[in-house]
Amino acid sequence: LSMAAVVVAMAPQTTFAFTQQQQATKFSPSMTSLHSSVAASSSVYFPGTPSSMSSPVNSAATPPRPQETPVAASEAAAEARQNMELIDQLKHDATVIFCIIDTDASGSIERQEFARHLQRAGSSATFVDALFDRMDLNGDGSISDSEFRTLYLTVPSLRALPGMGQVQPEMMETEDDDEEEVQVNTYEDIMEAGAQVFDSLDVDGNGFIDFTELKAHISRQAASSSCLFQDEAMVKIFSLLDTDHDLRLNKQEFRDAYWRYSAFRNALGEECIKD
């Protein structure tokens, strides 16, 4: 995803663009219509929104549906399960990223936390400030977990933003005369880098990273950027990454998180800083 312009689609036929070169000065829609369009575009229930977004249907005027075959019904059920699994994964992803940005574990992301995190990932101050205002749906000066989760689930371009979720592979020109382009930040690139970082953090060489090892590394990186994580924040992050709940991170858990969360790489000090 190019950092020159991030287009955030809030609902069909409703978009607004964040353009760093233009200092992100023009936005549409308004805050009121933004909130309603987010709710209308989501098929998932969020706190503060109705559980059903569809209009009442007159059953008497609705023609009967043709009876589904067993095969069609099975395929529909399988697709529904896949959709629910995807939604559950995105909810988990949103929680992990939220906790990484919420360094004081207050339960909300303040403007300073948001700016410090995303500017470290390469975003401009103007862009970050405008994005914070758009994500603060109720205008109370902070981003709550429900606001963050709502937009993370409904805005794909937000998930691809450096410092958030999975950054899309980029094309980079080589220095050869033929100006050939190569793909960087691929899945293989990131997983290999994650394995190397894991080995460097596994101080005792036992094949696992415990809480103390992860905290020590992130604390060193945070101190260099004046971004200190409170102990409660570190506990939340570690427990979310420890998917098998054995109180330690194996290499697969670590590499999966390293690939899935640009925010995690940012906290580790491994995310590329862009000019």
Side-chain angles (χ1 to χ4, degrees):
L1 178 68
S2 171
M3 285 302 300
V6 177
V7 179
V8 183
M10 306 307 299
Q13 309 301 325
T14 305
T15 63
F16 58 86
F18 298 109
T19 307
Q20 292 187 36
Q21 285 81 353
Q22 299 175 350
Q23 299 183 350
T25 54
K26 296 182 180 180
F27 291 93
S28 176
S30 66
M31 187 65 68
T32 302
S33 61
L34 170 63
H35 196 178
S36 61
S37 65
V38 169
S41 67
S42 173
S43 61
V44 184
Y45 172 76
F46 298 105
T49 63
S51 59
S52 175
M53 298 301 175
S54 59
S55 302
V57 177
N58 185 346
S59 59
T62 304
R65 295 181 179 179
Q67 186 175 3
E68 288 185 319
T69 65
V71 173
S74 177
E75 291 176 348
E79 182 178 356
R81 284 195 299 271
Q82 291 177 350
N83 289 338
M84 289 306 300
E85 289 173 0
L86 175 60
I87 291 172
D88 288 343
Q89 180 63 62
L90 289 176
K91 287 181 178 179
H92 179 78
D93 294 348
T95 300
V96 172
I97 297 167
F98 181 90
C99 289
I100 291 173
I101 302 176
D102 181 23
T103 57
D104 62 1
S106 65
S108 62
I109 297 174
E110 307 301 325
R111 188 180 294 271
Q112 184 179 10
E113 291 174 320
F114 192 74
R116 190 165 48 207
H117 178 83
L118 287 185
Q119 286 181 242
R120 187 181 182 189
S123 296
S124 71
T126 301
F127 172 83
V128 172
D129 197 49
L131 180 59
F132 183 90
D133 290 337
R134 293 297 93 185
M135 295 186 68
D136 178 16
L137 298 179
N138 63 4
D140 66 352
S142 63
I143 301 173
S144 67
D145 58 347
S146 61
E147 288 173 328
F148 189 90
R149 183 173 61 251
T150 297
L151 294 177
Y152 193 85
L153 266 69
T154 57
V155 183
S157 57
L158 180 64
R159 301 196 290 268
L161 185 68
M164 291 288 187
Q166 296 176 13
V167 178
Q168 299 301 310
E170 300 175 357
M171 299 303 296
M172 179 177 293
E173 290 186 1
T174 66
E175 296 181 357
D176 299 336
D177 294 336
D178 57 4
E179 296 184 353
E180 180 183 358
E181 289 189 340
V182 296
Q183 199 173 46
V184 297
N185 289 336
T186 64
Y187 173 80
E188 291 77 13
D189 293 337
I190 294 175
M191 290 295 277
E192 175 61 27
Q196 294 176 9
V197 176
F198 179 91
D199 292 339
S200 69
L201 267 63
D202 182 18
V203 178
D204 57 12
N206 67 347
F208 297 93
I209 295 176
D210 59 29
F211 176 79
T212 302
E213 289 171 328
L214 183 64
K215 178 184 175 183
H217 179 83
I218 290 182
S219 296
R220 286 194 299 270
Q221 297 299 321
S224 64
S225 61
S226 302
C227 175
L228 299 179
F229 283 80
Q230 298 295 321
D231 286 348
E232 185 179 350
M234 285 301 310
V235 169
K236 287 182 178 181
I237 295 169
F238 189 88
S239 63
L240 287 166
L241 301 183
D242 178 23
T243 56
D244 62 6
H245 310 295
D246 64 351
L247 304 181
R248 57 187 184 177
L249 302 179
N250 59 46
K251 181 169 283 191
Q252 188 62 45
E253 287 173 324
F254 184 89
R255 292 205 309 167
D256 285 346
Y258 193 89
W259 168 72
R260 182 171 289 278
Y261 309 121
S262 172
F264 183 49
R265 300 196 296 273
N266 194 21
L268 291 169
E270 301 295 330
E271 190 74 296
C272 294
I273 306 300
K274 299 181 181 180
D275 296 330

